[in-house]
Amino acid sequence: MSTNHDLPAQYDPGETERAIYQRWIDAGIFAAEEKRSRRNGGDRDPFVVVMPPPNVTAVLHMGHGLNNTVQDVVVRWRRMVGDETLWVPGTDHAGIATQNIIEKQLAAEGKSKADLGREAFVARTVAFVEETGGEILRQLRAIGASADWNRTAYTFSPELSVGVREAFVQLYERGLIYRGHRVIHWCPRCLTSLSDEEAEHTEEAGSLYHIAYPIAGAKGNATLTVATTRPETMLGDVAVAVHPDDERYKTLIGKTVMLPIANIEIPIIADEYVDPAFGTGVVKITPAHDPNDFEVGKRHKLSMPVVMAADGTMANGIDADARVPADLLGIDRFEARERIIRSLEKSKLLLEAQPHQHAVRHCYRCDTVVEPRLSDQWFVRMEPLAKPALKAVRDGTIRILPERWEAVYVNWLENIRDWNISRQLWWGHRIPVWYCEKCDNAIVSRTDVAACEKCGGTVRQDEDVLDTWFSSWLFPISTLGWPDKSSAALAAFYPTDDLITAPEILFFWVSRMIMAGYAFMDAPPFHTVYLTGTVRDMNHVKMSKSLGNGIDPLDVVNQFGADALRYTVISGMGMGADLMLDHRDLERSFAPGRNFATKLWNIGRFLLSNVGGTPVRSVDELRDADLTLPDRWILGRLNATTLECNAALGPARPEKGKWRAEERYSGLRLSEYSEAARRFVWNDLADWYLETTKGRIGGAGNDSEVARAVLTHAFDGALRLLHPIMPFITETLWQRLPFPVDADRAEFLAVAPWPISHPVAGEERAAMASFDLICDAVRAVRQIRSDYAIPPGKAIDVSIQSRANETVFRDHAPLIGRLSRSTVQIGGESAEAGAAHAVLPDGSEVIVPLGGLVDLTKECGKLRAELEQLETQLSALSKRLQNEGFTKRAPANVVEAERKKEQDWTKRRVQLADKVSALCGG
RNA sequence: GGUCGCGUAGCUCAGCUGGUUAGAGCGCUGCUUUCACACAGCAGAGGUCCAGGGUUCGAGUCCCUGCGUGACCACCA
């Protein structure tokens, strides 16, 4: 133990945080051991959190800061409670995102990926990732993340890649992966297909063009008007469709129209898909460039001409013949739209361009407008996978917090569509399918294939790679050793416990992990999903680097310390609520956290300079008679605060495998936990208890020892409660506390036991109420001093008058006097209610009622009257409910309502009775 | 278009199953450099809990309507 008990006047987080983190790492306290898990014969419950793997190229932003702080708080809490705690860190290779970065680099060098070729491109990306990747994980250490870095995973590592192939092959063998020919979302900039989730809707102001298609062979200039928002695709039209029951067009069905510009005759068909009420009730059918039209085309066995190239320029593709005229070939789709509109205007076939608000899908990586495109892709059949995932949330195996997200989750899974998993990229897990060049055999294999197993012909592997999410959906199992089912880590730590992430990836990642858990392990990956809020600026705009409204968490760490960052994030975050921070004024956002750290520091300084470094006595050895009222009060407050923190943090896992209704939505209220701990430290310990010890510590004798012991114990408890939120400063201070000699001490606060609590007993409650009265008296005297501008140095005589609590006040008059810097007498004549009565220096007299004290006689009378009335009503009600005549005759809902009322009144009666006994004694 | 959320002090928000005088941080006013702390202490000011209606002995809390605002989902071209 340190003999130097002087702390520097100022806490310097920069100096201490790094050193402490290194000591934790050196001691290996973040490393989890399989054999200590109860599931592997150990004596500890496992508690496991899997980190949402950030993109390997990412740099830390506030979103990560928030998310990982929440995870770390939960993980550190469980570690202190004594669980075998594992937090698995890792990164994601992020197919499109990473490939885009390398392509941008190449573009800056005047090259394209085609110049390099696939192999060199991948090699370059690997080198880039090796060099710069994982920086974000190093940054997470700066905010104190207590992950088990020995287990750091990477979705594209050889180990995890084994799992990816295994998953693909297994699903293929179970008939859940298939190759499909259909219209998918295509990004003309990234040149790859996207899943439905990757093509995000944005509301945009566009136009609904009304275009006249001349009816073939009709008299005069008869036309049929179609409505479209994408006229450039009309070159790929193979029909126009009307609703079969639409009286306006019934007679035209079966006839043909001339497709303008392409000058082709196409049929008028009937299909129920058409909504007669929208637009003109006539729809152009372009099967290769619209998913609905594709379905219509299939139903009517229409051809599917492709009139656009992969990069979004006009082209005569498959089945298109010469539909695209020469002057439009190679023209970008949006330019082509303009030209086609102008051309139609000229030929008077454009009848109208209505302003039209509609949702346009954009690439989630580069924001380019997505183009529907006909192509061959690999799909996962989702419905069978969704079933157990749906059941899990419905039956309480998995809960999602905040509760409202459960409905969103259920809704998505109920309407799930097949998942396009192939991407036309170079960066990612190559699809494990080989095609024979000779016999057209397709081989799906866990290992690389050299030759066709049927004919021995040469094979080539599918060019495409898998969606990044096809590797991350395996994260909870693959990081623990799957597909090796005998893996000790899998046995010890799967299923995991909490999954903490942003709601944006509920569908991308969370839902799919649940499906993968059931598909490959036949067990859910976790029992709790906690969705955090979003970090926004003061205008409620989501923080992002590109908008320039971001905050760099490392700036905050440098200026205010990691603890300040963490405290701000945790205390400011209601369950699932967004967190608003001012990026232009970091002081405003983070000073409260820093100030609180300073407060802790100063309590520590007081303690070390007054209590000193000599070991204190253990509070367990103190006899009740030794404890003063303030001692009893602060110990009671510590206990109450521990209870509050426990209640806010909630059960770590469902008690009986599944969440019961009562516990399902409780816990993980981190801001409440943080507030309870802060209140204890600042408002109880620092503002009151510490002040009461000032006259005691340093004096000779027993009472000084008692005060030293209690103060140290209370501060120790506070540091334990706060450690998950502010790990650095609490560890620093805790290391220097003058613990009792024989204390059974952990080496680090990070692994010290969480405070023990007990149910509050009646006499404890009474003692605490007494001290609250003392505080009221002190406040009343201070108010007199402040209101009447009594100078600090000037003593005044005050008398406290209270018949009801005279004993309490009499016993503690010196304490009241010391805390209010006045001379206090107890007792006086007008003592009906409690009041402080002072004679001012100028001779005038003032009276201030004591805040917490009411006119007891009156108040008790009122309460007793209410209680009496309630009891009368309640007994009448109960009698009625016991009367079978009533319960049988009255309608069920009335009886039900009366029963409910009986319950309410009973509850209220207990409340009132409690109050009466607390306030009025007996 | 569908679903869901939010509207409480100047600002950012707590307030869980209805029950004392509606809370916190920041900001604001006054006093104080008192030997842990001015990144502080003490004492204050500030709220028709969006509006209107309803249920109840009792509503910030539950129900309905309206206004404002946000999120998610969506194949009306």
Side-chain angles (χ1 to χ4, degrees):
Chain A
M1 213 159 293
S2 169
T3 48
N4 170 18
H5 25 91
D6 291 325
L7 290 173
Q10 282 280 314
Y11 171 58
D12 178 4
E15 202 172 287
T16 40
E17 286 179 356
R18 190 181 297 266
I20 288 174
Y21 195 88
Q22 193 54 47
R23 288 182 61 199
W24 287 330
I25 292 289
D26 293 344
I29 59 172
F30 303 157
E33 280 183 34
E34 284 86 3
K35 62 176 188 296
R36 286 197 299 234
S37 164
R38 208 177 287 287
R39 296 181 193 146
N40 267 10
D43 59 355
R44 297 184 185 195
D45 290 326
F47 185 83
V48 186
V49 172
V50 171
M51 179 187 293
N55 288 356
V56 68
T57 57
V59 284
L60 194 71
H61 58 60
M62 272 314 292
H64 300 120
L66 173 121
N67 196 237
N68 287 285
T69 299
V70 172
Q71 293 176 72
D72 197 45
V73 167
V74 174
V75 161
R76 284 181 182 271
W77 163 52
R78 293 317 300 176
R79 189 178 287 123
M80 291 177 78
V81 170
D83 289 347
E84 186 58 21
T85 305
L86 169 61
W87 185 14
V88 184
T91 50
D92 192 301
H93 68 285
I96 305 184
T98 306
Q99 175 155 335
N100 281 352
I101 289 174
I102 305 296
E103 282 183 26
K104 249 181 225 160
Q105 285 183 0
L106 289 174
E109 297 164 20
K111 287 186 273 186
S112 75
K113 71 176 204 275
D115 296 336
L116 258 71
R118 184 166 192 153
E119 214 169 298
F121 182 88
V122 170
R124 178 170 173 147
T125 312
V126 167
F128 176 76
V129 165
E130 263 171 16
E131 196 184 316
T132 63
E135 174 61 20
I136 188 162
L137 298 183
R138 282 185 285 281
Q139 294 174 321
L140 284 178
R141 291 169 171 84
I143 65 168
S146 65
D148 185 351
W149 302 107
N150 304 327
R151 297 177 195 258
T152 302
Y154 175 45
T155 54
F156 207 7
S157 70
E159 301 80 39
L160 268 65
S161 298
V162 170
V164 169
R165 275 206 184 175
E166 177 66 27
F168 187 98
V169 176
Q170 263 197 40
L171 292 178
Y172 180 81
E173 287 169 352
R174 284 148 70 176
L176 294 175
I177 280 187
Y178 65 94
R179 192 157 169 80
H181 180 72
R182 64 179 67 163
V183 172
I184 42 76
H185 306 293
W186 179 268
C187 175
R189 203 218 60 83
C190 300
L191 297 175
T192 180
S193 66
L194 299 170
S195 65
D196 292 336
E197 292 69 35
E198 290 170 324
E200 296 177 332
H201 290 275
T202 324
E203 282 288 319
E204 273 181 22
S207 298
L208 186 60
Y209 300 98
H210 288 218
I211 302 169
Y213 285 24
I215 298 172
K219 280 178 221 149
N221 294 327
T223 59
L224 196 54
T225 308
V226 305
T228 180
T229 52
R230 296 189 301 144
E232 68 278 11
T233 63
M234 67 186 285
L235 299 172
D237 289 2
V238 293
V240 293
V242 297
H243 194 274
D245 302 333
D246 194 332
E247 293 299 333
R248 292 172 293 178
Y249 307 118
K250 242 181 176 164
T251 57
L252 294 175
I253 297 168
K255 298 193 169 159
T256 59
V257 292
M258 280 304 289
L259 177 62
I261 298 176
N263 287 317
I264 310 171
E265 214 173 312
I266 55 174
I268 300 168
I269 62 172
D271 196 286
E272 307 241 327
Y273 148 69
V274 180
D275 175 4
F278 185 84
T280 59
V282 185
V283 186
K284 62 197 246 345
I285 301 299
T286 322
H289 296 279
D290 184 284
N292 300 308
D293 294 5
F294 175 76
E295 294 302 321
V296 175
K298 272 209 305 204
R299 278 199 288 277
H300 296 265
K301 301 199 167 47
L302 302 169
S303 73
M304 304 192 171
V306 174
V307 295
M308 215 180 274
D311 63 355
T313 60
M314 305 307 293
N316 283 310
I318 298 163
D319 286 343
D321 300 324
R323 282 166 167 262
V324 182
D327 62 337
L328 285 177
L329 284 173
I331 302 295
D332 179 77
R333 53 195 168 141
F334 296 116
E335 173 62 20
R337 178 181 299 176
E338 295 304 316
R339 292 199 192 185
I340 285 171
I341 290 305
R342 280 203 299 272
S343 150
L344 290 171
E345 254 168 351
K346 259 189 218 153
S347 52
K348 306 255 190 283
L349 292 174
L350 180 72
L351 305 178
E352 205 183 336
Q354 276 181 1
H356 182 64
Q357 193 76 16
H358 62 150
V360 178
R361 285 184 181 258
H362 292 250
C363 172
Y364 85 135
R365 278 300 160 206
C366 72
D367 208 39
T368 303
V369 173
V370 161
E371 198 62 37
R373 185 161 194 256
L374 186 59
S375 68
D376 291 313
Q377 305 287 343
W378 289 95
F379 293 89
V380 177
R381 207 181 298 284
M382 296 300 268
E383 213 218 304
L385 296 178
K387 254 189 198 153
L390 208 43
K391 180 167 177 282
V393 168
R394 284 193 173 135
D395 72 10
T397 305
I398 297 175
R399 63 172 179 170
I400 305 179
L401 302 173
E403 183 185 352
R404 63 173 184 277
W405 287 105
E406 289 188 347
V408 176
Y409 171 92
V410 165
N411 185 269
W412 186 75
L413 285 176
E414 280 176 341
N415 299 295
I416 194 130
R417 286 184 284 168
D418 286 354
W419 176 17
N420 172 9
I421 51 168
S422 45
R423 296 289 175 276
Q424 289 65 48
L425 301 172
W426 285 352
W427 180 242
H429 302 274
R430 193 91 174 253
I431 291 180
V433 179
W434 286 260
Y435 306 98
C436 177
E437 310 230 298
K438 249 169 141 182
C439 71
D440 232 23
N441 184 25
I443 307 148
V444 177
S445 169
R446 289 174 174 82
T447 52
D448 286 358
V449 175
C452 177
E453 54 202 359
K454 271 191 187 158
C455 71
T458 54
V459 292
R460 73 190 151 75
Q461 188 173 3
D462 195 302
E463 293 295 320
D464 292 348
V465 301
L466 289 161
D467 182 0
T468 288
W469 301 101
F470 193 88
S471 53
S472 37
W473 77 326
L474 304 173
F475 217 60
I477 60 178
S478 60
T479 55
L480 295 176
W482 188 87
D484 174 10
K485 286 210 174 183
S486 65
S487 146
L490 210 51
F493 300 125
Y494 191 89
T496 74
D497 291 87
D498 293 357
L499 189 278
I500 297 166
T501 192
E504 288 99 83
I505 54 176
L506 177 61
F507 305 143
F508 277 117
W509 193 49
V510 181
S511 315
R512 288 174 183 156
M513 276 192 290
I514 296 172
M515 294 189 240
Y518 281 104
F520 302 116
M521 288 295 293
D522 207 21
F526 30 73
H527 53 67
T528 296
V529 175
Y530 178 94
L531 298 174
T532 61
T534 308
V535 186
R536 299 175 184 280
D537 68 16
M538 298 316 278
N539 297 319
H540 295 202
V541 178
K542 187 174 169 177
M543 278 195 181
S544 81
K545 213 171 154 190
S546 53
L547 286 177
N549 65 346
I551 293 175
D552 182 349
L554 297 181
D555 280 351
V556 179
V557 169
N558 288 335
Q559 285 182 52
F560 304 96
D563 288 330
L565 173 81
R566 296 168 60 108
Y567 175 80
T568 301
V569 159
I570 295 300
S571 65
M573 196 184 46
M575 163 81 64
D578 290 346
L579 179 70
M580 312 301 165
L581 295 173
D582 192 339
H583 63 287
R584 278 166 307 199
D585 188 354
L586 295 186
E587 172 80 18
R588 183 183 164 198
S589 297
F590 298 99
R594 177 203 55 194
N595 295 355
F596 186 38
T598 304
K599 194 73 187 178
L600 280 168
W601 187 253
N602 283 311
I603 297 171
R605 288 180 64 210
F606 173 86
L607 192 145
L608 292 179
S609 61
N610 288 276
V611 173
T614 318
V616 297
R617 275 157 62 180
S618 160
V619 283
D620 299 333
E621 293 163 13
L622 301 178
R623 285 168 307 153
D624 279 358
D626 292 333
L627 297 174
T628 63
L629 181 60
D631 294 335
R632 263 189 266 275
W633 175 77
I634 197 68
L635 293 173
R637 284 293 306 137
L638 175 60
N639 181 61
T641 303
T642 306
L643 290 170
E644 283 177 68
C645 291
N646 289 343
L649 286 163
R653 48 184 75 83
E655 219 172 86
K656 299 196 171 118
K658 282 183 184 163
W659 293 103
R660 286 168 300 137
E662 318 84 85
E663 60 181 10
R664 181 160 184 166
Y665 302 111
S666 67
L668 293 177
R669 291 181 216 273
L670 300 185
S671 60
E672 284 178 29
Y673 148 53
S674 143
E675 177 54 20
R678 189 202 68 86
R679 212 168 29 233
F680 175 71
V681 168
W682 207 315
N683 302 124
D684 298 338
L685 186 59
D687 289 349
W688 290 100
Y689 183 71
L690 190 142
E691 294 301 325
T692 70
T693 65
K694 282 183 180 170
R696 301 168 64 195
I697 296 180
N702 190 46
D703 189 54
S704 173
E705 283 306 309
V706 172
R708 289 179 73 235
V710 174
L711 178 60
T712 305
H713 178 80
F715 193 48
D716 174 39
L719 293 176
R720 288 176 202 247
L721 290 174
L722 274 168
H723 180 262
I725 303 173
M726 310 180 88
F728 293 106
I729 191 165
T730 53
E731 182 75 79
T732 309
L733 290 168
W734 193 80
Q735 291 292 337
R736 312 182 71 149
L737 288 186
F739 292 97
V741 227
D742 52 354
D744 185 11
R745 246 197 94 187
E747 193 188 347
F748 291 99
L749 174 58
V751 287
W754 187 251
I756 298 163
S757 58
H758 58 82
V760 181
E763 63 266 38
E764 194 179 356
R765 210 189 303 256
M768 294 180 66
S770 293
F771 188 75
D772 288 339
L773 289 171
I774 305 291
C775 295
D776 286 333
V778 171
R779 279 192 207 99
V781 179
R782 283 174 181 169
Q783 197 183 331
I784 290 170
R785 300 196 61 112
S786 177
D787 287 356
Y788 297 96
I790 314 293
K794 176 111 184 148
I796 56 165
D797 292 327
V798 181
S799 67
I800 307 287
Q801 308 172 339
S802 171
R803 190 188 294 157
N805 300 290
E806 205 172 86
T807 340
V808 177
F809 291 135
R810 200 179 296 284
D811 291 348
H812 297 91
L815 183 62
I816 298 170
R818 198 149 38 73
L819 294 178
S820 61
R821 296 171 190 283
S822 303
T823 311
V824 172
Q825 262 86 49
I826 305 301
E829 290 125 41
S830 61
E832 190 66 25
H837 179 149
V839 180
L840 303 183
D842 66 3
S844 58
E845 297 184 28
V846 292
I847 295 178
V848 172
L850 270 51
L853 286 184
V854 282
D855 185 328
L856 282 178
T857 317
K858 249 199 218 159
E859 186 64 18
C860 287
K862 243 169 64 187
L863 286 172
R864 286 206 167 101
E866 194 185 339
L867 185 59
E868 206 172 301
Q869 193 198 346
L870 188 70
E871 270 166 352
T872 315
Q873 288 177 340
L874 186 57
S875 75
L877 183 66
S878 301
K879 217 174 265 170
R880 198 137 55 93
L881 281 167
Q882 275 157 21
N883 179 351
E884 284 193 17
F886 169 77
T887 50
K888 281 191 179 143
R889 232 180 309 119
N893 60 335
V894 170
V895 178
E896 185 65 24
E898 296 286 272
R899 287 235 160 85
K900 172 86 175 61
K901 199 182 254 182
E902 187 187 25
Q903 274 177 18
D904 285 356
W905 286 5
T906 308
K907 214 169 87 184
R908 179 68 181 147
R909 191 188 56 183
V910 173
Q911 278 176 2
L912 276 173
D914 274 2
K915 212 157 105 183
V916 167
S917 76
L919 213 59
C920 320

